[in-house]
Amino acid sequence: MALVVQKYGGSSVSDAHSIKRVAKRIAATKRAGNDVVVVVSAMGDTTDELLDLAGQITPLPPQRELDILLTSGERISMSLLAMAITNLGVRAKSFTGQQAGLMTDAVHGRARLVDVVPHRIRETVEKGQVAIVAGFQGVSSTNDVTTLGRGGSDTTAVALAAGLDADVCEIYTDVDGVFTADPRIVPSARKIDRVTYEEMLELAASGAKVLALRAVEYARRYDVPVHVRSSFSSTTGTLVTGTHGDAIDPNAPAAEEENQMEAPIISGVAHDRSEAKITVVGVPDKPGTAARIFEVVAGAGANIDMIVQNVSAAHTGLTDISFTLPHADSPSTLAALNALQDELGFASLQYDDQIGKLSLVGAGMKSHPGVSARLFGALRDAGINIEMISTSEIRISVVTREDALDDAVRAIHTAFDLDSADGEAVVYAGSGR
């Protein structure tokens, strides 16, 4: 008997019909002899609708109250799903994040897990019942309800899988797995059978929305096998694990070790439209100035992605520093830098929110010469200008104009022979989650 944790996103439980369909899959998994724990997101666009509703009440809702409001979406889903499963003759019980033992810090809106104590979930499973847990939420040490931020249900599922020592964590979405690019932009994208934690971390950090970054980080830390698949089909999805050769099904024989010499160099192309660029113009080029700038940025709570510093002009001793950050972090960061302009000594700030980031990810890139030349040559041939470049051992990222991003993704995908010969990829519900 295997212990399986399953997570269903909002598009998988968007209405009553979808909830009944998901319930049948869960019941079938249970009847196959598995213990089952399910994590569920809010139905469809419920979270966005609740945010809009709060905005109609006040432009600045208290974060504590906003967390209480937003967690209601998952509670609706969990109770309805438990009803649907019970109606199929399989016993099920629903739990909030607090009841499930998901302990967090006290940061409302983007809390981080500090402990997982799933006693009630374990007891429910031992009684032969399916445990349904509301994703995206937990409870702080002061007994306040908290939310984990976007993608928090993925993190909930992986954390429970680790806490329960589950055999596999299945993340159900509206696509058949992890693809070499977003199939909405590249219909010829190919499904990846297996990908390492490190590759998936780079893909998720670079904008691939099929799996939340924090969930991948948690899975790698606790060695939780994650199987990304569609709730709309029975197709085998993508295994995210420590190596390329682990088995997907915990009840099946281990897959034969893949020949790493023949494995593709490139795993996929990711893109991100959620970032903006700030350029600090006329920065004194002396020790400590950059450090002070980024201390201010950190104090504003911004998450920095890419950083580029120009060579200083010899006749002025001044340089420019550009960095990218999420749109949501931009207002506070600009305000913090402007407030300390005299201390920092820069001339001005430039803000650009019309950028897009493209990232090429593959574990074998560093040991294969010519990858960068091929990437930049493909962008040149497509007439796309590059504004910033960042690299790691398994990733090359570039920033370009937002309106050129789709063309850039398609050009790179084709240049690295990632297009599938099996027809177009299927997106069942349209959101990718």
Side-chain angles (χ1 to χ4, degrees):
M1 178 180 293
L3 173 56
V4 179
V5 175
Q6 298 181 339
K7 177 262 177 179
Y8 293 90
S11 60
S12 298
V13 293
S14 59
D15 52 30
H17 174 76
S18 298
I19 290 174
K20 290 179 180 179
R21 175 175 48 77
V22 165
K24 290 179 181 178
R25 183 185 287 268
I26 295 168
T29 305
K30 177 61 180 173
R31 287 176 176 139
N34 300 295
D35 288 329
V36 185
V37 175
V38 177
V39 174
V40 65
S41 297
M43 297 171 62
D45 297 323
T46 298
T47 300
D48 289 334
E49 292 168 357
L50 291 171
L51 283 169
D52 290 342
L53 184 60
Q56 294 174 36
I57 300 298
T58 171
L60 293 172
Q63 281 296 321
R64 179 184 180 277
E65 305 308 320
L66 190 60
D67 274 0
I68 293 175
L69 173 68
L70 295 183
T71 54
S72 64
E74 280 72 20
R75 296 183 184 212
I76 292 171
S77 296
M78 74 178 193
S79 57
L80 290 174
L81 184 56
M83 294 176 193
I85 294 170
T86 301
N87 194 51
L88 295 174
V90 176
R91 292 183 298 163
K93 184 181 290 186
S94 64
F95 299 89
T96 65
Q98 180 177 6
Q99 293 169 329
L102 294 161
M103 314 302 295
T104 75
D105 58 23
V107 180
H108 288 289
R110 50 181 178 182
R112 301 193 71 86
L113 291 168
V114 297
D115 199 6
V116 179
V117 191
H119 298 316
R120 296 187 66 182
I121 305 303
R122 197 182 301 277
E123 291 172 359
T124 299
V125 170
E126 289 173 352
K127 292 177 181 178
Q129 298 174 301
V130 175
I132 313 294
V133 179
F136 175 66
Q137 61 188 258
V139 62
S140 70
S141 59
T142 57
N143 211 33
D144 278 327
V145 172
T146 56
T147 61
L148 307 182
R150 292 292 184 179
S153 293
D154 288 357
T155 307
T156 300
V158 174
L160 280 173
L164 294 166
D165 195 24
D167 294 277
V168 67
C169 179
E170 298 179 337
I171 304 293
Y172 285 91
T173 75
D174 60 10
V175 290
D176 285 327
V178 180
F179 283 77
T180 50
D182 187 336
R184 294 161 198 75
I185 294 175
V186 186
S188 60
R190 175 171 46 83
K191 182 171 69 68
I192 306 169
D193 292 332
R194 294 179 177 86
V195 65
T196 65
Y197 293 130
E198 287 72 21
E199 290 168 312
M200 194 65 234
L201 277 171
E202 293 283 12
L203 288 168
S206 300
K209 295 180 174 60
V210 69
L211 195 57
L213 175 62
R214 287 168 60 186
V216 185
E217 291 173 338
Y218 209 105
R220 181 178 66 168
R221 184 178 305 126
Y222 295 98
D223 197 25
V224 177
V226 177
H227 186 189
V228 182
R229 58 193 310 188
S230 172
S231 65
F232 296 84
S233 74
S234 58
T235 302
T236 298
T238 300
L239 180 70
V240 185
T241 187
T243 67
H244 283 283
D246 291 351
I248 288 179
D249 186 345
N251 297 316
E256 293 183 2
E257 192 72 22
E258 293 185 5
N259 185 339
Q260 293 300 304
M261 291 183 66
E262 297 179 356
I265 299 172
I266 305 303
S267 295
V269 183
H271 71 281
D272 191 355
R273 289 185 172 85
S274 67
E275 294 189 351
K277 180 174 69 173
I278 294 176
T279 300
V280 188
V281 180
V283 178
D285 192 5
K286 58 184 181 182
T289 304
R292 182 62 184 129
I293 287 174
F294 288 107
E295 286 172 356
V296 173
V297 172
N303 291 313
I304 299 300
D305 183 8
M306 301 169 68
I307 303 172
V308 171
Q309 178 172 337
N310 298 329
V311 177
S312 62
H315 64 286
T316 64
L318 301 178
T319 186
D320 297 340
I321 299 176
S322 297
F323 58 89
T324 61
L325 74 173
H327 286 153
D329 293 344
S330 298
S332 60
T333 302
L334 289 168
L337 288 170
N338 277 317
L340 294 176
Q341 181 174 2
D342 291 341
E343 175 192 333
L344 298 172
F346 62 85
S348 63
L349 296 176
Q350 294 178 357
Y351 178 66
D352 184 357
D353 61 359
Q354 299 300 307
I355 64 168
K357 182 178 72 173
L358 174 149
S359 298
L360 186 69
V361 177
M365 289 170 55
K366 186 176 181 180
S367 58
H368 288 76
V371 174
S372 297
R374 195 171 179 182
L375 170 71
F376 300 138
L379 293 176
R380 175 202 61 208
D381 294 344
I384 296 169
N385 189 46
I386 299 171
E387 299 185 12
M388 299 176 74
I389 302 170
S390 174
T391 66
S392 74
E393 289 190 354
I394 63 172
R395 171 190 52 78
I396 302 174
S397 294
V398 300
V399 167
T400 184
R401 292 288 88 199
E402 193 276 336
D403 58 9
L405 187 58
D406 289 1
D407 290 338
V409 170
R410 286 187 283 265
I412 296 305
H413 196 269
T414 298
F416 284 88
D417 302 319
L418 296 175
D419 293 332
S420 172
D422 300 328
E424 294 189 356
V426 179
V427 180
Y428 297 92
S431 72
R433 295 305 299 270

